Amino acid sequence: MGRGKIAIRRIENQTTRQVTFSKRRAGLLKKTHELSVLCDAQIGLIIFSSTGKLCQYCSEGLRMEQIIERYQKMTGTCIPDHDSREQLYGELAMLRKESRRLHSNMRRYTDEDMSSIPFEELDAVEQELERAANKVRHRKNELLHQQLENLRRKERMLEEENSNMYRWARIQEHRAALGYQQAAIEAKPVEHQQVLDQFPFCGEPSSVLQLSNITHQIDQYHLQLAQPSLQGSSV
């Protein structure tokens, strides 16, 4: 089966888009070099990635500026040449001014040489610090309240778990007691039967032979009267 056709639209997945860009950029540079060498063409290729990274190719023996100048001559367009140093100086002065302003504002909060700050600005700084402190206290109270609620919830869970374990233990004790009583009830007929086996004379004899055996066993249990001892008595 042949390779499936890929829809020509922007790839949404960033990782897949980057991998596709790297592969196709390498292929494009390779084809550009082959075209320049095989056909003796003067080619200038400029590529900017989505992240702003520059990648370029220029035919051997030429520079990109020469290719651009030739393009401008052929198309009749030109890039205006003007001295941008004044604009750069203006931007630099503005950045320096902004940096000094930010540094001055930072000194207000770090207690560094506040002697040059006027009273009105000190009042504003005090109000800002009070608002910041109030925000910090409010956030701190929120966090403490959340921690307290979590501890209470955990305490309720532990109490419920303890109660469930206590009920389970009581149920197990009750089952054990019922089993002990049941075992005792079942053991009583066995003990009674053992007593009857020891005393077979209980009940009615079924034959003359059994009656003679009963009489013999009864004789074994006759009590003998104790004779009084005369050794310790005096005449």
Side-chain angles (χ1 to χ4, degrees):
M1 296 179 62
R3 295 174 58 185
K5 297 182 65 177
I6 300 176
I8 305 301
R9 62 172 180 269
R10 183 177 182 272
I11 300 174
E12 297 297 333
N13 187 275
Q14 183 177 2
T15 303
T16 305
R17 184 169 63 247
Q18 185 65 29
V19 172
T20 303
F21 173 78
S22 299
K23 291 181 179 180
R24 301 220 170 190
R25 179 189 59 187
L28 180 60
L29 292 174
K30 180 180 179 181
K31 292 296 183 181
T32 303
H33 176 68
E34 292 176 357
L35 179 61
S36 176
V37 173
L38 295 176
C39 301
D40 194 18
Q42 298 179 358
I43 302 175
L45 177 64
I46 300 174
I47 302 174
F48 288 98
S49 66
S50 59
T51 58
K53 185 178 180 181
L54 172 64
C55 180
Q56 62 181 354
Y57 172 83
C58 185
S59 299
E60 295 181 1
L62 296 174
R63 292 180 293 107
M64 185 61 68
E65 291 81 0
Q66 296 175 351
I67 299 294
I68 294 175
E69 288 177 0
R70 185 173 180 182
Y71 170 78
Q72 292 175 354
K73 291 179 181 180
M74 294 298 297
T75 58
T77 59
C78 63
I79 300 176
D81 295 331
H82 62 278
D83 191 0
S84 60
R85 287 179 294 180
E86 294 182 359
Q87 182 180 359
L88 293 177
Y89 289 152
E91 293 179 356
L92 182 59
M94 183 178 62
L95 291 175
R96 287 177 178 175
K97 183 179 179 180
E98 184 68 17
S99 176
R100 287 194 298 267
R101 186 183 67 83
L102 293 175
H103 183 68
S104 176
N105 292 334
M106 289 299 296
R107 287 189 305 170
R108 299 176 181 180
Y109 303 103
T110 57
D111 194 16
E112 296 180 2
D113 191 15
M114 300 182 69
S115 59
S116 60
I117 301 176
F119 177 79
E120 293 77 7
E121 293 185 4
L122 289 175
D123 190 19
V125 171
E126 182 180 5
Q127 293 178 2
E128 290 179 1
L129 291 175
E130 288 180 355
R131 286 193 295 268
N134 291 331
K135 291 181 180 179
V136 171
R137 293 191 191 96
H138 181 68
R139 180 56 180 169
K140 181 180 178 181
N141 292 332
E142 286 183 352
L143 294 177
L144 291 176
H145 183 70
Q146 292 177 1
Q147 292 178 0
L148 182 60
E149 289 295 329
N150 293 334
L151 291 175
R152 289 177 178 174
R153 190 182 303 110
K154 187 175 181 180
E155 181 182 2
R156 289 193 297 268
M157 293 174 61
L158 292 175
E159 289 178 353
E160 184 178 357
E161 184 178 358
N162 188 20
S163 178
N164 292 333
M165 293 179 64
Y166 177 76
R167 286 197 297 267
W168 181 81
R170 292 295 304 273
I171 292 173
Q172 294 297 324
E173 292 178 358
H174 184 65
R175 289 180 177 176
L178 291 177
Y180 178 76
Q181 293 178 1
Q182 185 69 24
I185 293 173
E186 294 177 355
K188 285 182 179 180
V190 177
E191 294 177 357
H192 183 67
Q193 184 65 33
Q194 292 177 355
V195 172
L196 292 179
D197 294 340
Q198 293 178 1
F199 300 95
F201 51 82
C202 297
E204 296 181 358
S206 59
S207 63
V208 177
L209 182 58
Q210 184 177 2
L211 180 61
S212 61
N213 292 332
I214 293 174
T215 303
H216 177 70
Q217 292 180 2
I218 292 176
D219 293 338
Q220 293 179 358
Y221 289 94
H222 280 170
L223 297 178
Q224 296 181 1
L225 296 176
Q227 297 295 330
S229 178
L230 300 179
Q231 296 178 359
S233 64
S234 61
V235 178

